[in-house]
Structure formats: C-alpha cells, structure tokens
C-alpha cells in the first residue's frame, strides 16, 4: 500500500511526457510505429516544401480558394503535428484495441488520426478568415503589416504564458488519464471521438504558435520547421513547459521589435520572393 501511494505521488509531481518513459509501448512496437509515422510525415513535408517553392511567402491566402487552402493546410498539419501526437494515437490503439490486432488495430489508429486532423481542418477555416482579412489590410495599407505583425506576436506570447496553454500542454504531455476515461465511450465512432477530443486539446496547446504564421508566412518552410521542433520538444521533453514559457517571452520581444523590423514580417510584405527566387 505504501509503495502504491508513493508511486501515485511521484506520478502527480512529474507526469511522464507522452512517449517518454512509462513504457507506453514496447521497444519493438515503438520502432514499427515510428517507422509508419515517418512514412506519413516525410511525404507530407515533401509536398509542403514543393508547394512552398512554387508559391513563395506572401500575405493573405496567397490567392488560394478555400478547398485548396484547406487541403494544403491539412498536409502542413500532418507534417508538423503527427510526430508529436503519434505516441498518443498508438497508445490508444494498443491499449483500447488490445484484444484486436493487425488491420483492426490499424483501423483504430486511422480513425483516431482522422478525428485529430478534422479538428485541425476546422482550425484551418479560422486561419483562412484571418489570413484573408490581414491580406486585404496589407494590400490597402502596406504599413499596417507592421502593426498586424506586432499584434500577432503579442497575442502569441501572451497565449504561450497563459493558463489555457498550460492546461492543454499538460493534457498533451500526460494523456493517459484521459485515454482511460475514453475507454468508457460507446461505439460507433468511438475512436473518431477520441481523436476529436485530443485534437481539440492539441489545437489549444499550439494555437499561439500557429498565430505567428501570419507575420512569418504560412508557406515559410523555415518557420514551419522551427515551430514543428518547438511543438515536438514542448510535448516530449521533460522541461517542455519551461520551453513554452521561454518561447512566449521571445514572442513578446518580437512584438516590440516588429514595427521597426520588416525582416520579421515576411508574411506581411507584398514583395516577398519565392524560394526559387531566393
């Protein structure tokens, strides 16, 4: 009894990040799982980089219609988010689908990921509206881009340091209690519902980071790669919450610098060259 109590106290003090320690997956299954994630994430990155080379970094929606923008957005999210959320999806498929195997377990995982990406698609609608509005403002008033950029960095910094970020990051780093609760969900579409729920927490965790794509450019590959690394480390590193705070402070500093530093705002300048031109 004393051993159980001490284990609970240790867990409460320092929850294990998703996929780190805790034996969420055996080594062999973990290796296979990460191989599958690489097979998904790498093509997503290749498609994203290829599209970025053709389009360049421009303000607004870059002339894309909503369906095409959402298709590109989901591809971007798959590239950026899947590596950090993969352990959760695989733990769910293994734990809840323990009595199944092979294609059945793969089906659990696909349905989970589908629900997850559906939430990010909904967030993409908000991103499209925000980019459309800021693009029109920059086209009509070029100097407005500096203040839009400052406001975006300020909002992102405050969000990174705020309570909602902390709550959502805590869920993403230690989702096991939620996954146990999800086991009580009834079919049909249980795995889809779990993916939707976890996706909502992930959006809440990463929303501030996504905001900076307005000044940095949605098709800015360097910015996307940097944010993907931050997201991965925040969720999986033992000091991820500390990194989230440091990034928030950096965003606040950039908010102060943005009105006088155009190089911080490639996504709010009409003359930004394409990657081929660079």
């Amino acid at each position: 009894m004393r051993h159980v109590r001490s284990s609970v106290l240790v867990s409460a003090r320092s929850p294990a990040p998703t996929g780190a320690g805790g034996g969420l997956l055996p080594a062999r299954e973990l290796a296979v799982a990460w191989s599958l994630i690489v097979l998904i994430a790498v093509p997503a990155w290749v498609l994203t980089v290829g599209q970025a080379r053709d389009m360049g970094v421009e303000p607004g929606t870059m002339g894309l219609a909503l369906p095409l923008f959402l298709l590109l957005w989901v591809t971007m999210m798959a590239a950026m988010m899947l590596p950090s959320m993969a352990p959760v999806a695989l733990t769910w498929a293994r734990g809840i689908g323990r009595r199944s195997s092979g294609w059945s377990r793969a089906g659990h995982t696909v349905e989970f990921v589908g629900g997850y990406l559906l939430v990010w698609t909904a967030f993409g609608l908000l991103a499209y509206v925000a980019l459309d509005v800021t693009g029109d403002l920059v086209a009509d008033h070029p100097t407005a881009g500096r203040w839009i950029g400052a406001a975006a960095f300020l909002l992102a910094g405050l969000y990174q340091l705020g309570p909602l970020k902390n709550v959502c990051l805590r869920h993403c780093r230690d989702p096991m209690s939620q996954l146990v609760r999800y086991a009580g969900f009834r079919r049909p579409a249980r795995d889809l519902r779990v993916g939707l729920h976890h996706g909502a927490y992930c959006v809440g965790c990463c929303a501030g980071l996504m905001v900076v794509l307005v000044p940095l450019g949605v098709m800015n590959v360097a910015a996307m790669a940097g944010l993907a690394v931050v997201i991965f480390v925040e969720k999986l590193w033992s000091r991820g919450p500390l990194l989230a705070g440091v990034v928030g402070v950096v965003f606040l500093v950039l908010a102060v610098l943005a009105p006088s530093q155009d190089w911080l705002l490639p996504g709010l300048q009409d003359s930004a060259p394409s990657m081929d031109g660079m």
Side-chain angles (χ1 to χ4, degrees):
M1 185 69 179
R2 183 177 301 173
H3 175 71
V4 172
R5 187 181 297 117
S6 63
S7 297
V8 172
L9 288 175
V10 171
S11 176
R13 290 173 184 170
S14 56
T18 301
L24 295 187
L25 284 174
R28 181 178 178 180
E29 289 192 25
L30 190 61
V32 174
W34 278 108
S35 298
L36 293 174
I37 294 303
V38 168
L39 290 176
I40 298 173
V42 169
W45 273 110
V46 171
L47 290 172
T48 300
V49 172
Q51 192 64 38
R53 290 178 62 87
D54 294 334
M55 299 176 62
V57 181
E58 299 178 9
T61 60
M62 300 157 289
L64 295 176
L66 179 59
L68 185 56
F69 176 87
L70 289 179
L71 179 61
L72 181 59
W73 176 265
V74 171
T75 302
M76 289 169 51
M77 293 305 103
M80 295 175 64
M81 302 296 175
L82 286 184
S84 63
M85 63 80 67
V88 181
L90 296 164
T91 301
W92 165 257
R94 178 175 180 267
I96 305 306
R98 185 169 296 172
R99 297 180 181 177
S100 61
S101 61
W103 290 108
S104 179
R105 184 176 297 180
H108 288 301
T109 306
V110 169
E111 194 171 341
F112 179 100
V113 173
Y116 180 88
L117 291 179
L118 188 59
V119 176
W120 276 107
T121 302
F123 187 80
L125 291 172
L126 298 178
Y128 185 86
V129 173
L131 290 169
D132 187 50
V133 171
T134 56
D136 289 342
L137 287 173
V138 171
D140 295 336
H141 308 284
T143 57
R146 298 180 179 180
W147 303 107
I148 293 173
F153 283 124
L154 176 63
L155 178 61
L158 293 176
Y159 191 91
Q160 283 286 114
L161 299 172
L164 182 57
K165 165 75 178 191
N166 183 57
V167 169
C168 294
L169 180 58
R170 187 166 61 246
H171 170 92
C172 290
R173 286 173 54 80
D174 185 28
M176 292 305 298
S177 60
Q178 292 292 335
L179 293 181
V180 171
R181 184 170 70 88
Y182 293 154
F185 283 12
R186 295 182 179 181
R187 295 187 179 277
R190 181 181 64 180
D191 302 293
L192 179 67
R193 290 172 59 196
V194 175
L196 289 169
H197 194 276
H198 184 67
Y201 272 104
C202 190
V203 167
C205 180
C206 303
L209 298 173
M210 295 298 104
V211 168
V212 301
L213 288 177
V214 173
L216 296 180
V218 173
M219 298 307 299
N220 187 330
V221 175
M224 283 188 284
L227 292 176
V229 171
V230 170
I231 292 167
F232 186 87
V233 175
E234 277 187 356
K235 292 183 179 181
L236 302 184
W237 187 36
S238 61
R239 297 181 181 269
L242 176 61
L243 174 63
V246 170
V247 171
V249 172
V250 170
F251 287 162
L252 294 180
V253 172
L254 295 181
V256 175
L257 297 176
S260 61
Q261 303 292 329
D262 288 342
W263 63 273
L264 290 174
L265 311 171
L268 293 170
Q269 299 179 42
D270 285 321
S271 59
S274 67
M275 293 181 65
D276 282 333
M278 295 173 65

